[in-house]
Amino acid sequence: MIQLFLESLFWLLIFLVFYTYLGYGIFLWFLVKIRGKKKSRFNANYQPEVTLVIPAYNEMNCLAEKVQNSLTLNYPAHLLKILFVTEGSTDGSTEWLQQQYGSNERISVMGGAQRRGKIEAINLAMQQVHSPLVIYTDANTNLNPDAIPNIVRHFADAEVGAVSGEKRIQTFDNEAAAGAGEGLYWKYESFLKKLDTDLHSVVGAAGELFAIRTELYEHVEKDTLLDDFMISLRIASRGFRVVYDPEAYALERPSFSIGDEKKRKVRIAAGGFQSIARLPHLLNIFRYGWLSFQYISHRLMRWAVAPFALPLIFLINLLLALMTEGWFYPALFIAQVGFYAAAMLGYYFENRKLRIKALFVPYYFSFMNWCAILGYFRYKNGLSSGIWEKVRRAQ
């Protein structure tokens, strides 16, 4: 009886992990093929006034490049306003922007001595936004030339409340596992987001580049960890679609090291659990339909189910290998040991800045789920500050 219970639990957990990382994508692909793609009613000639909001806390090292990138985007100059939010910066970035671009009517700077955190800065910045559309982007990213028109065209459809661009990780051949793994992850994430859009709506926008209808903005709690996720999901829960457009992208360098990437992912995971607690209504599939299905499958299971299922799978597999006859469960256990051994080797070589491609997947997969577990405990221990610790990026 105990063996039957363990076997049933083992295969249920296997299914949940498989569904979270591969099964959902496969099922989504079939759903889109059967139902057809959600019709897109964008208009390439739609050109309303837009405000580009750029939070920039102590980003002096990349401000010049960001300003140049923003001013050269392919959108009518008289319709594009640029607002840098530098509140709390101590590196001279506020003064530099005011000195260099104080006379430029297109650029505004919102400074201030107090550092309140990104979301509080955005809350304050939104009081100065009067355009019908607002686009958020990070200071340490560069947008492709047609990013704004490619985003804006979707708002010609009244059903669209927000548009998410694509986050692309710029990696080089000699990048360590932190960068290479992050790049692989975002390529797969982009594939899933495209399918999400084709079915109904994206569940969460990329903070590096996303846009909303200004009138739909709701004040976000100051301790919110995932502002982009909460802003976009609250818009989606009001009946609007969140569309994904990979032709509008933000190019970003990977984290400087796996240590920096760990800080970022643990905090994101903690923010994921915070979001789950604040969006309980989205679990009601009878009310929200496809949005609930996508939210549970793409986000909730990845944050709150799969990471905790993996150690249980390992332990139950060990018990089954010891208590059953035959080779099957022992072979599965050996395969698991081999996978995690490869992950540990990836960690070993990463610390020595050695690049072995075969170890990227087991290392980054294990790393990502371990960060999710750490994020849960960090959330339970009362992580409540919306002020992010800056993560170093590779040069």
Side-chain angles (χ1 to χ4, degrees):
M1 193 67 179
I2 294 178
Q3 181 179 329
L4 179 60
F5 170 75
L6 289 175
E7 286 187 298
S8 300
L9 181 58
F10 177 77
W11 289 110
L12 173 62
L13 294 172
I14 289 283
F15 169 77
L16 291 175
V17 172
F18 173 79
Y19 177 78
T20 300
Y21 290 106
L22 293 175
Y24 173 62
I26 295 170
F27 185 49
L28 204 55
W29 185 84
F30 276 109
L31 277 175
V32 171
K33 287 293 182 182
I34 294 169
R35 295 180 71 250
K37 294 182 180 180
K38 185 81 172 179
K39 288 185 179 180
S40 180
R41 297 192 292 270
F42 66 77
N43 182 353
N45 297 317
Y46 183 62
Q47 291 185 332
E49 186 178 348
V50 173
T51 301
L52 191 65
V53 174
I54 308 171
Y57 170 72
N58 281 353
E59 297 284 8
M60 189 64 213
N61 63 328
C62 59
L63 271 185
E65 185 177 1
K66 184 63 178 181
V67 173
Q68 181 64 22
N69 176 249
S70 301
L71 289 174
T72 55
L73 293 171
N74 294 336
Y75 201 73
H78 68 287
L79 295 176
L80 177 61
K81 304 299 182 184
I82 304 168
L83 174 58
F84 282 91
V85 186
T86 59
E87 59 86 37
S89 292
T90 57
D91 64 348
S93 53
T94 304
E95 294 76 12
W96 182 84
L97 281 168
Q98 291 172 338
Q99 290 170 5
Q100 296 292 321
Y101 299 97
S103 60
N104 191 317
E105 294 182 354
R106 297 177 61 193
I107 296 179
S108 301
V109 181
M110 194 184 83
Q114 183 180 356
R115 185 187 180 193
R116 300 178 178 88
K118 181 180 178 181
I119 188 54
E120 273 291 82
I122 289 177
N123 282 330
L124 291 172
M126 289 303 293
Q127 297 175 17
Q128 300 185 22
V129 175
H130 305 291
S131 58
L133 301 180
V134 58
I135 300 177
Y136 306 99
T137 182
D138 288 343
N140 62 352
T141 65
N142 283 326
L143 309 185
N144 63 304
D146 292 322
I148 293 182
N150 288 341
I151 280 182
V152 166
R153 58 184 176 176
H154 295 281
F155 288 101
D157 184 347
E159 291 184 0
V160 174
V163 179
S164 175
E166 178 177 286
K167 173 182 176 178
R168 295 186 183 180
I169 301 298
Q170 184 184 29
T171 57
F172 303 125
D173 288 342
N174 63 344
E175 291 292 9
E182 190 180 356
L184 287 172
Y185 169 79
W186 278 105
K187 287 178 183 177
Y188 181 60
E189 215 17 51
S190 297
F191 169 73
L192 289 181
K193 285 185 176 182
K194 186 176 184 305
L195 290 174
D196 276 333
T197 293
D198 290 342
L199 179 69
H200 176 64
S201 175
V202 172
V203 280
E208 290 75 15
L209 177 60
F210 77 105
I212 68 168
R213 296 186 188 275
T214 305
E215 63 183 0
L216 298 180
Y217 185 80
E218 299 178 29
H219 187 278
V220 183
E221 299 87 340
K222 66 180 182 180
D223 64 340
T224 300
L225 301 176
L226 298 184
D227 50 273
D228 48 1
F229 186 78
M230 290 297 295
I231 292 170
S232 57
L233 259 291
R234 281 176 171 168
I235 289 174
S237 67
R238 291 166 64 181
F240 294 91
R241 292 181 65 215
V242 180
V243 172
Y244 168 69
D245 191 332
E247 293 182 19
Y249 60 85
L251 194 62
E252 182 178 76
R253 292 289 288 134
S255 300
F256 177 77
S257 69
I258 207 66
D260 288 279
E261 180 65 1
K262 180 183 175 183
K263 290 179 187 176
R264 193 177 73 88
K265 283 210 172 294
V266 168
R267 191 173 180 92
I268 287 174
F273 288 104
Q274 182 191 63
S275 301
I276 291 170
R278 291 182 176 177
L279 298 169
H281 53 283
L282 286 184
L283 300 178
N284 186 349
I285 199 166
F286 298 104
R287 179 180 177 184
Y288 294 99
W290 288 118
L291 180 62
S292 289
F293 163 71
Q294 292 175 294
Y295 168 67
I296 293 168
S297 299
H298 195 164
R299 296 301 180 188
L300 188 143
M301 291 192 67
R302 188 177 293 187
W303 282 327
V305 177
F308 299 93
L310 289 168
L312 286 174
I313 289 171
F314 188 85
L315 292 173
I316 294 171
N317 195 173
L318 174 59
L319 291 174
L320 289 172
L322 294 173
M323 66 191 302
T324 59
E325 297 181 357
W327 58 270
F328 185 69
Y329 285 110
L332 283 180
F333 183 71
I334 292 172
Q336 280 204 79
V337 170
F339 182 86
Y340 292 118
M344 292 178 69
L345 274 176
Y347 174 76
Y348 174 84
F349 287 117
E350 158 62 17
N351 282 341
R352 284 152 183 77
K353 305 298 181 184
L354 298 175
R355 177 178 177 272
I356 300 180
K357 254 186 176 179
L359 302 177
F360 286 172
V361 172
Y363 176 68
Y364 203 75
F365 177 82
S366 303
F367 165 74
M368 188 170 56
N369 282 283
W370 175 238
C371 288
I373 294 172
L374 293 177
Y376 169 75
F377 287 108
R378 191 168 181 185
Y379 166 69
K380 294 299 287 185
N381 288 333
L383 175 65
S384 58
S385 172
I387 300 177
W388 283 71
E389 180 181 352
K390 284 178 67 66
V391 172
R392 295 175 299 168
R393 292 286 173 181
Q395 301 300 312

